[in-house]
Amino acid sequence: MIQLLYEVMGLTGLSSKNKIMSYFQSRDYGLAVQRGQVSGVTFNNKFGRNAATVAGDAIWGTSTAYNEIQTAGVIAIVSTHADDDSTGLGARTLTLTGLNGSYDIVTETITMDGTTPVNTANSYISVHRCFVATAGTTATAVGTITGTQASATPATEVLRIVIGYNQTQNAQYMVPRNYTAYINLPNVTMQTITENLTMDLGCFKKEFGGVYRIQIDFLFTGGGDTFQGKIFGAPLKWEAKSTILWKCVAASAAADVLVDYDIWLVAD
């Protein structure tokens, strides 16, 4: 069983194989990964939410289709509230992680300037996550924070931090170069007051230079709260520079949709 998991996750032949074997046999493997004790493997529970999802929408912080960045560029970060600035009551600094134009993972700190846009130091082809790192006495952002790639035509919003959450809720993910991603345990929650609502929600894979092709499909019918989850016999594989996209294919009315899933990122 352990050997099979190595083959599925592409771990066969790694110099750390014996070390990984010992963790499988003697303790919780996931805990060892999170503690940085397994070389070349990282874990991420990825999640996203769209509070008013309709057909064509992606599962992220705004009720629109996914705005895929076409060319790496800087991102202008701004708040709707003046107190989200370096000395204000709200968000003072943000931490942003994503992929640069070489498809490598980069992270930076952005100092907020309220309603005046601040450009990132790095150029990004994909945003993985952005969160409030430090804040004033409110211990939270007091405005809605957005990030826009101003060089795009038209200017394209690529991140949003909704008031009260202090982090982007973006279910999309692009795999960095020299890595392979394996995903499992996708869970979807749909909430609506509309009786007999129907919704088709899909997880799509886009290989580098390719097209978005559906990999997982969830069908919902009815009102109230509905939950669906899946456990695959083997994790689904996303190659380097491929994209994971969650979007609503069809819906009879708007609904609040939350998606989360596990990503195991393995160095090639």
Side-chain angles (χ1 to χ4, degrees):
M1 180 65 182
I2 294 174
Q3 179 62 31
L4 176 61
L5 186 55
Y6 281 133
E7 293 171 358
V8 169
M9 295 185 68
L11 297 176
T12 302
L14 287 181
S15 59
S16 57
K17 179 175 179 179
N18 290 335
K19 184 177 181 180
I20 297 173
M21 280 286 287
S22 68
Y23 278 116
F24 264 119
Q25 295 168 344
S26 64
R27 68 190 74 183
D28 183 86
Y29 177 71
L31 178 60
V33 169
Q34 290 292 73
R35 295 179 69 181
Q37 296 172 326
V38 181
S39 176
V41 182
T42 57
F43 172 82
N44 180 16
N45 176 248
K46 189 67 173 165
F47 59 89
R49 182 183 180 188
N50 183 335
T53 306
V54 296
D57 278 4
I59 307 305
W60 63 339
T62 183
S63 297
T64 65
Y66 178 51
N67 293 326
E68 183 177 11
I69 300 175
Q70 301 299 319
T71 304
V74 299
I75 298 172
I77 308 292
V78 68
S79 174
T80 59
H81 201 293
D83 276 336
D84 287 326
D85 74 355
S86 60
T87 59
L89 302 175
R92 293 183 174 181
T93 64
L94 309 179
T95 297
L96 192 154
T97 299
L99 301 186
N100 64 14
S102 298
Y103 300 90
D104 292 320
I105 298 173
V106 290
T107 299
E108 67 176 278
T109 299
I110 298 113
T111 301
M112 295 295 296
D113 193 14
T115 57
T116 301
V118 177
N119 286 340
T120 59
N122 296 312
S123 293
Y124 292 88
I125 194 68
S126 179
V127 174
H128 284 171
R129 182 167 291 168
C130 186
F131 61 88
V132 177
T134 62
T137 55
T138 62
T140 186
V142 291
T144 297
I145 296 172
T146 56
T148 301
Q149 191 186 37
S151 61
T153 305
T156 302
E157 182 179 313
V158 295
L159 70 87
R160 176 177 291 247
I161 299 176
V162 178
I163 294 173
Y165 291 95
N166 290 319
Q167 179 170 299
T168 52
Q169 294 179 289
N170 179 7
Q172 282 50 257
Y173 184 83
M174 177 179 272
V175 182
R177 71 179 182 126
N178 300 324
Y179 285 88
T180 301
Y182 299 87
I183 77 168
N184 209 341
L185 303 179
N187 299 307
V188 179
T189 302
M190 184 196 71
Q191 180 176 318
T192 179
I193 60 173
T194 303
E195 294 185 6
N196 300 317
L197 177 144
T198 59
M199 178 172 286
D200 183 351
L201 187 77
C203 176
F204 291 76
K205 175 181 181 179
K206 180 185 178 184
E207 296 179 352
F208 184 66
V211 300
Y212 285 106
R213 182 166 59 92
I214 196 162
Q215 305 292 302
I216 313 170
D217 203 11
F218 289 91
L219 299 176
F220 293 92
T221 302
D225 297 333
T226 306
F227 171 85
Q228 292 187 36
K230 295 185 179 182
I231 302 175
F232 299 111
L236 303 185
K237 180 179 179 181
W238 261 258
E239 296 79 8
K241 299 193 284 186
S242 61
T243 300
I244 302 168
L245 169 66
W246 287 86
K247 75 171 185 178
C248 177
V249 179
S252 61
D256 189 349
V257 176
L258 173 68
V259 168
D260 77 90
Y261 58 103
D262 289 348
I263 301 176
W264 294 87
L265 197 61
V266 180
D268 293 337

